[in-house]
Amino acid sequence: MKAGPLQLGVAPPANRAIAILDFFLRLIAIVGTLASAIAMATTNQTLPFFSQFIRFRAKFNDLPSFTFFVVASSIVSAYLILSLGFSILHIAKSNLVNSRVLLLLLDTAAMGLLMAGSAAATAIVQLAHKGNNKVNWFAICQQYNSFCKRVSGSLIGSYAGVVVLILLILLSGVALSRR
């Protein structure tokens, strides 16, 4: 099969398909990271203790790891929203190299930040579910059941965002190797 001459301003079909897939993967990552940040930031539960006047409350900002998770997920969500412009630009002109390299580097940094926030929150969730008898930290998820379920669900969305960012990094590598 012979390849025809390339026209200026017209992207090869394979590169355009990669750019369209990049756009949709970014939308999926935005949903995952933004939903996980919102779910974590709005998580709280109050339990009565001895009487209705004394209550224990669990909120996400009681733990610095959860606060870091919300900040990291929010930063990555904002970055992904801003990067949609580059993704649209790559659909129109898929032969751009410098902006693709920039997205590759920024996607890698965003993936690292999101993974760090998710790992920090996962460590605390594991302690909340299992506790640690060696240091007398008791599992609290029997009492704060809805708090733990919501936090765990938030982590699932965040790890889905990490997987999508890894796919975006691989996709950018494929797009750059085709040049």
Side-chain angles (χ1 to χ4, degrees):
M1 204 154 91
K2 288 185 176 181
L6 289 176
Q7 298 176 358
L8 292 177
V10 177
N15 288 346
R16 181 157 298 179
I18 288 173
I20 291 170
L21 182 59
D22 179 89
F23 179 77
F24 285 114
L25 285 175
R26 287 185 190 284
L27 289 177
I28 292 168
I30 289 169
V31 169
T33 57
L34 191 59
S36 66
I38 291 170
M40 181 71 82
T42 58
T43 299
N44 63 16
Q45 185 177 359
T46 304
L47 294 176
F49 182 72
F50 288 128
S51 71
Q52 63 181 344
F53 301 111
I54 301 172
R55 297 175 182 257
F56 286 130
R57 186 170 192 173
K59 293 173 53 176
F60 88 95
N61 58 358
D62 292 337
L63 298 161
S65 295
F66 288 168
T67 304
F68 174 60
F69 173 82
V70 170
V71 170
S73 295
S74 300
I75 289 171
V76 171
S77 296
Y79 158 71
L80 286 168
I81 291 169
L82 293 174
S83 71
L84 284 176
F86 280 115
S87 189
I88 292 169
L89 181 67
H90 288 145
I91 292 172
K93 297 181 180 182
S94 61
N95 56 352
L96 299 175
V97 175
N98 292 339
S99 60
R100 178 68 72 183
V101 171
L102 178 66
L103 276 181
L104 177 67
L105 294 174
L106 292 176
D107 285 348
T108 304
M111 189 270 306
L113 178 63
L114 187 60
M115 189 65 191
S118 299
T122 300
I124 298 301
V125 169
Q126 195 273 340
L127 278 175
H129 280 286
K130 305 282 185 189
N132 188 339
N133 292 334
K134 293 179 183 176
V135 291
N136 290 328
W137 289 344
F138 302 107
I140 64 163
C141 285
Q142 289 84 13
Q143 292 84 19
Y144 294 98
N145 194 19
S146 72
F147 178 80
C148 289
K149 283 182 182 178
R150 194 167 165 114
V151 167
S152 297
S154 176
L155 287 173
I156 292 170
S158 179
Y159 280 118
V162 168
V163 169
V164 172
L165 280 167
I166 290 171
L167 292 174
L168 284 169
I169 292 166
L170 293 173
L171 195 64
S172 290
V174 167
L176 287 170
S177 69
R178 290 179 168 244
R179 294 197 164 48

